Amino acid sequence: MKGWPAVLIVCLALIVLAAGCGQPQPTEDLEPEPPLPAPIIEPEPEPEPEIVYPYTYPLTGIGTEEEMAARPILVMIENHRAARPQSGLIDADIVYEFLVEGEITRFAAVFHSQQPEVIGPVRSLRPYFAQIAEGMDAMIVHAGYSPAAIEYVQKKKLDRLDEIYGGGAYFWRSKERSKPHNLYTSMELIRKGQENRKLRTEWNQPEAIPFADKDIVMTGEPAEKVRVNYLLGYHVEYEYDAEKETYLRYMAGAPHVDKESEEQIEAANIMIIAASHRVVDNVGRREIDVYGPGKGWIAQKGKVREIVWEQKDGIIRPYINGEEVPLIPGKTWVQVISPDLKVTFSAADENADA
């Protein structure tokens, strides 16, 4: 560039410098970032396959792996205040509650699908309890009897274990309570008594009880609360638990619980039947019609419907328009009342008379 004008040399230098400044300069920040990982989509869990059982328990409609051919056992359980809480009622497939003398109630608890280790307190027999047992071919377990009851069981030659008259080996007295509210038995002892006394163990099963699909949508009037007013404060209440789809039982305003497990008694079906009652002696013993037909109600899944009830093929069954009402699989409580007793059904936040 010797001989070039100084001004030209400066201009050329500036042009070269500007060109160099316009070129991208290498830098670590310009390295490409790695691609983002694809989102992980968890597969939805497959629903648990529904278990299909080869058999169902005849009195509850609940599935079982083994056929239940053994004879049901009907145990007389008392409901005096001194007898509460009772043991084993929570395990009975069907429970009938009746009035007895003294204006108190007593239970006929039918055991079949479950085998409780403690049942009681056991009390004496009345003829209408024996008629229930005869109809469904259940063996009777009791402690004593009324004159009409012993006349009936002897005439019909019904199988039974009576603690007072020859069956004491199959019962025991608890030290936690005083007589007569402390007599207990167990399914193991009852079955042993059947064997030792050579009583029939095979069941002459009556016509099967129909059971509804567990997902059935129930119709009827609201019955999230059910109240049956027996006499002398023996008020029974049921409250519907929508999550469990069962009724929780209350007795005299308190949860009715099992003494052994401390769990509250519950049932899928509440049947209330109005039956003829007649006092037959000065003690206050009654004759109660357990054959029907008669009027009543059935509460299932928070709804109630009017029914006609009748004992047919050994079971007290509900009918609507001549068709038998299927039971919801689970336990059933039958409240046997005289027609003059008050019954109410209501939604959870109201009260309504039946």
Side-chain angles (χ1 to χ4, degrees):
M1 297 181 185
K2 187 177 179 181
W4 286 21
V7 174
L8 182 59
I9 294 172
V10 172
C11 289
L12 289 172
L14 291 173
I15 292 171
V16 171
L17 180 61
C21 291
Q23 296 297 319
Q25 301 298 314
T27 171
E28 294 181 356
D29 294 337
L30 295 180
E31 292 182 2
E33 295 183 1
L36 294 174
I40 299 175
I41 301 176
E42 295 287 345
E44 293 186 7
E46 294 185 4
E48 291 286 337
E50 184 176 353
I51 300 176
V52 178
Y53 292 96
Y55 304 100
T56 58
Y57 289 118
L59 301 181
T60 66
I62 295 175
T64 174
E65 295 287 354
E66 298 182 1
E67 185 176 13
M68 190 65 179
R71 196 174 181 189
I73 304 297
L74 185 147
V75 184
M76 299 304 312
I77 298 179
E78 70 164 319
N79 194 27
H80 190 280
R81 292 174 180 84
R84 299 180 208 144
Q86 295 91 349
S87 299
L89 273 178
I90 197 169
D91 296 318
D93 290 354
I94 302 176
V95 180
Y96 297 89
E97 184 169 10
F98 287 88
L99 277 167
V100 293
E101 62 274 14
E103 314 301 5
I104 66 176
T105 65
R106 189 167 294 177
F107 305 114
V110 182
F111 296 93
H112 195 232
S113 65
Q114 294 179 266
Q115 314 297 311
E117 297 178 356
V118 184
I119 303 172
V122 180
R123 288 302 299 270
S124 58
L125 184 64
R126 299 295 176 269
Y128 36 91
F129 294 113
Q131 290 162 359
I132 291 287
E134 178 193 19
M136 66 191 315
D137 190 38
M139 194 190 79
I140 306 169
V141 176
H142 62 107
Y145 38 72
S146 68
I150 189 60
E151 180 182 352
Y152 189 87
V153 298
Q154 289 179 343
K155 178 181 177 181
K156 299 291 185 175
K157 298 180 180 179
L158 304 182
D159 288 344
R160 57 196 177 89
L161 288 178
D162 182 353
E163 185 268 345
I164 294 178
Y165 297 97
Y170 310 110
F171 300 80
W172 74 87
R173 294 276 177 183
S174 169
K175 295 181 180 179
E176 296 181 26
R177 293 175 174 172
S178 59
K179 290 184 179 181
H181 314 296
N182 65 343
L183 183 65
Y184 294 87
T185 186
S186 68
M187 287 299 291
E188 181 180 1
L189 284 175
I190 292 169
R191 297 299 186 193
K192 184 177 180 181
Q194 281 183 304
E195 180 182 355
N196 291 347
R197 293 192 160 202
K198 296 180 171 54
L199 301 175
R200 178 169 50 86
T201 59
E202 298 81 14
W203 188 22
N204 295 326
Q205 184 176 342
E207 181 180 329
I209 297 173
F211 287 93
D213 186 276
K214 65 178 181 179
D215 298 321
I216 188 174
V217 177
M218 195 58 60
T219 60
E221 297 300 315
E224 294 165 318
K225 290 187 177 181
V226 179
R227 181 178 174 92
V228 182
N229 291 339
Y230 285 103
L231 305 175
L232 296 183
Y234 278 72
H235 300 317
V236 176
E237 294 175 292
Y238 294 94
E239 291 189 2
Y240 184 63
D241 186 321
E243 184 175 346
K244 291 183 174 181
E245 296 189 330
T246 59
Y247 284 91
L248 300 175
R249 180 180 162 91
Y250 294 79
M251 185 73 232
H256 196 171
V257 300
D258 176 66
K259 183 178 183 297
E260 309 308 312
S261 67
E262 299 184 350
E263 294 180 1
Q264 190 168 0
I265 294 171
E266 58 187 70
N269 307 280
I270 308 299
M271 199 186 315
I272 302 167
I273 67 170
S276 172
H277 287 54
R278 185 170 71 92
V279 176
V280 295
D281 60 25
N282 56 8
V283 178
R285 298 188 182 99
R286 292 171 166 85
E287 286 182 357
I288 301 177
D289 174 25
V290 295
Y291 299 106
K295 295 182 178 180
W297 303 267
I298 187 166
Q300 300 169 303
K301 290 195 169 188
K303 301 289 185 180
V304 64
R305 293 174 289 171
E306 292 187 9
I307 60 168
V308 172
W309 68 270
E310 183 175 2
Q311 186 183 146
K312 184 178 179 182
D313 297 311
I315 304 289
I316 291 181
R317 302 171 188 263
Y319 296 88
I320 295 178
N321 296 326
E323 297 291 330
E324 186 170 357
V325 177
L327 299 183
I328 304 300
K331 302 179 187 304
T332 298
W333 276 67
V334 182
Q335 307 295 148
V336 183
I337 65 170
S338 59
D340 59 319
L341 292 183
K342 186 177 181 181
V343 182
T344 62
F345 306 94
S346 64
D349 54 355
E350 65 178 346
N351 291 307
D353 291 349

